[in-house]
Structures are given as structure tokens and as C-alpha cells.
């Protein structure tokens, strides 16, 4: 089983490393971190990671996964990346994303007519690409599987493994990584965070969200 995750500049690393941890423990899976070059890639918080293979050298993947993060904005008009996703989608068993990676799938024309989810702050942009937005931790619609924001990538990956190999395999992986979340606060969603915290976050994210919206509008206009 060939699984490929895009590793692009300015991504949110947990969007990638959460699913990677699950996929790397999946029996029979080979996991590739894919980018245009093999040079180190810096995430949005300064962590540097190494791609394992270039887009050009990638085999046909069984699973293609696009993480999110601020760097996703540039990918939405990146013809090389969008064409790579379209080519892979023709032969892939599963076409997937975490967080705002869903908007990149949308920009490639791969979510039209599919139910999907993404990070709460950008959920309103899914419909621009013909997707059917669903508020959920993850969404499975035929061979499209999309995860919500950041930490939802672990849930998404476990669900995908269960779809591919059965619940027992996925449960064993969950146990091996001791994924038994019990957060100290119920502030992981807009509903739980409360108006004050939500307002501060929306204010802090506003400049980036404006750029993302502009990119989504431009990408949607090209479809």
C-alpha cells in the first residue's frame, strides 16, 4: 500500500505528523512525504522536515493526503501541485485531506459533489468548490475522506485505516499510540470555547483568513 502526504512549506506540521504516525504503523503500508524537491521544508512554526520523495518520482499512490496550514494558500493556484493531485486521483483508492488541505483538493476540482469538512474557521469556503460542507470531525463520502482541523488528522487516519483494513487494525494502532484524549478544557470547538475566546481567535486569524478567502475565490473561478 503506497500512501503519500504532501510536505509543503508553511504547513501545519500536526496536520501531517498526526496521520503519518498512524499510517506508518499500518501493516503493509509504505508512507512517502512528497514535495517538489528533497530540500528541508519549514512548517508554519519553524520546524524543519525532510521530504522523502519528489512529486515527479512518486509512484501511483493508493492514498493521497493533503495537509493544511497557511502554506495551503499558495498551493491553491500552484498548477504543478494541482496537476499532480489530479493525476494521482485518477488511480488512487482514497483521496484525502486534513484541515484546510480540503481546499486544495477543492481547487483541483476533486471535491465537487462530495461531502467534506475542514477547519472550522474556513468551513464556509468548501461550497465554493462544489463540495457539500459537513460539520464533523471527519467525513467519508465514497473514496473521499476529509478531516477537520489539525488534531482531527489522527481521528481521520484511524477511520481511514478502519475503512481499508478493518476496525481491529485501527484499534490496535490507536492503542499503540495511546490515543485516549482527555483535554483539560472543552475549548476545542467554537461551540465549546465561548464567545470571548472565539472572538480573540477570529481577530488573530483575520489577516490569514482574508488571504485564504482571496485564494479560494481565485481558485474557484478557474474551475
Amino acid at each position: 500500500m503506497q500512501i503519500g502526504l504532501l510536505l509543503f512549506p508553511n504547513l501545519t506540521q500536526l496536520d501531517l505528523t498526526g496521520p503519518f504516525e498512524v499510517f506508518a504503523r499500518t501493516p503493509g503500508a509504505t508512507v512517502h512525504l512528497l514535495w517538489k524537491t528533497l530540500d528541508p521544508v519549514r512548517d508554519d512554526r519553524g520546524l524543519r522536515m525532510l521530504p522523502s520523495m519528489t512529486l515527479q518520482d512518486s509512484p501511483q499512490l493508493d492514498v493521497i493526503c493533503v495537509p493544511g496550514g497557511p502554506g495551503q494558500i499558495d498551493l491553491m493556484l500552484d498548477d504543478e501541485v494541482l496537476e499532480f493531485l489530479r493525476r494521482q486521483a485518477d488511480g488512487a483508492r482514497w483521496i484525502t485531506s486534513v484541515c484546510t488541505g480540503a481546499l486544495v483538493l477543492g481547487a483541483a476540482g476533486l471535491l465537487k459533489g462530495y461531502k467534506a469538512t475542514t477547519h472550522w474557521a474556513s468551513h464556509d469556503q468548501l461550497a465554493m468548490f462544489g463540495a457539500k460542507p459537513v460539520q464533523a470531525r471527519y467525513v467519508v463520502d465514497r473514496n473521499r475522506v476529509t478531516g477537520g482541523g489539525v488534531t482531527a488528522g489522527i481521528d481521520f487516519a484511524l477511520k481511514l485505516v478502519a475503512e481499508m483494513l478493518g476496525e481491529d487494525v485501527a484499534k490496535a494502532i490507536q492503542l499503540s499510540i495511546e490515543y485516549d484524549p482527555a483535554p483539560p478544557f472543552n475549548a476545542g470547538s467554537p461551540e465549546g470555547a465561548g464567545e470571548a475566546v472565539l472572538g480573540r481567535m477570529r481577530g488573530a486569524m483575520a489577516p490569514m483568513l482574508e488571504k485564504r478567502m482571496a485564494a479560494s475565490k481565485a481558485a474557484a473561478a478557474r474551475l
Side-chain angles (χ1 to χ4, degrees), residues 95-146:
I95 299 152
T96 75
S97 65
V98 177
C99 198
T100 52
L103 301 179
V104 181
L105 292 183
L110 299 175
L111 287 184
K112 187 175 182 180
Y114 288 88
K115 296 177 183 177
T117 192
T118 189
H119 191 281
W120 60 266
S122 299
H123 206 266
D124 58 341
Q125 298 178 35
L126 285 170
M128 299 170 64
F129 301 102
K132 301 175 182 178
V134 177
Q135 291 283 359
R137 191 73 170 162
Y138 55 80
V139 174
V140 181
D141 186 354
R142 290 158 282 175
N143 72 335
R144 304 302 199 262
V145 188
T146 50

Side-chain angles (χ1 to χ4, degrees), residues 144-221:
R144 304 302 199 262
V145 188
T146 50
V150 193
T151 60
I154 299 175
D155 302 60
F156 143 84
L158 289 169
K159 177 60 176 177
L160 181 56
V161 170
E163 293 285 331
M164 295 189 296
L165 299 175
E167 285 191 7
D168 286 347
V169 174
K171 288 177 179 178
I173 294 172
Q174 180 179 1
L175 179 59
S176 73
I177 63 175
E178 200 174 349
Y179 182 54
D180 189 22
F185 313 108
N186 182 31
S189 70
E191 296 76 18
E195 290 299 324
V197 174
L198 179 59
R200 285 198 296 271
M201 281 305 305
R202 287 194 182 279
M205 297 173 70
M208 184 269 293
L209 292 176
E210 290 177 6
K211 292 179 181 179
R212 179 171 289 147
M213 178 61 78
S216 288
K217 289 179 179 179

Side-chain angles (χ1 to χ4, degrees), residues 3-190:
I3 301 176
L5 299 99
L6 284 189
L7 172 55
F8 55 88
N10 215 25
L11 86 166
T12 297
Q13 63 86 11
L14 190 55
D15 287 2
L16 179 145
T17 55
F20 179 89
E21 188 67 38
V22 173
F23 294 149
R25 295 168 183 261
T26 300
T30 300
V31 186
H32 309 285
L33 300 181
L34 303 166
W35 187 233
K36 297 177 182 181
T37 73
L38 297 180
D39 297 331
V41 172
R42 184 182 184 277
D43 86 330
D44 63 338
R45 305 293 170 179
L47 180 68
R48 294 181 182 272
M49 295 175 283
L50 287 174
S52 60
M53 184 175 289
T54 65
L55 301 181
Q56 183 177 355
D57 292 336
S58 174
Q60 174 60 57
L61 301 169
D62 298 293
V63 178
I64 177 68
C65 181
V66 185
Q72 154 270 331
I73 293 171
D74 291 336
L75 297 191
M76 297 181 73
L77 298 174
D78 188 320
D79 288 330
E80 181 179 355
V81 171
L82 298 180
E83 283 300 320
F84 171 78
L85 293 173
R86 294 184 187 113
R87 288 196 308 272
Q88 286 289 339
D90 284 341
R93 291 175 55 201
W94 299 95
I95 299 152
T96 75
S97 65
V98 177
C99 198
T100 52
L103 301 179
V104 181
L105 292 183
L110 299 175
L111 287 184
K112 187 175 182 180
Y114 288 88
K115 296 177 183 177
T117 192
T118 189
H119 191 281
W120 60 266
S122 299
H123 206 266
D124 58 341
Q125 298 178 35
L126 285 170
M128 299 170 64
F129 301 102
K132 301 175 182 178
V134 177
Q135 291 283 359
R137 191 73 170 162
Y138 55 80
V139 174
V140 181
D141 186 354
R142 290 158 282 175
N143 72 335
R144 304 302 199 262
V145 188
T146 50
V150 193
T151 60
I154 299 175
D155 302 60
F156 143 84
L158 289 169
K159 177 60 176 177
L160 181 56
V161 170
E163 293 285 331
M164 295 189 296
L165 299 175
E167 285 191 7
D168 286 347
V169 174
K171 288 177 179 178
I173 294 172
Q174 180 179 1
L175 179 59
S176 73
I177 63 175
E178 200 174 349
Y179 182 54
D180 189 22
F185 313 108
N186 182 31
S189 70

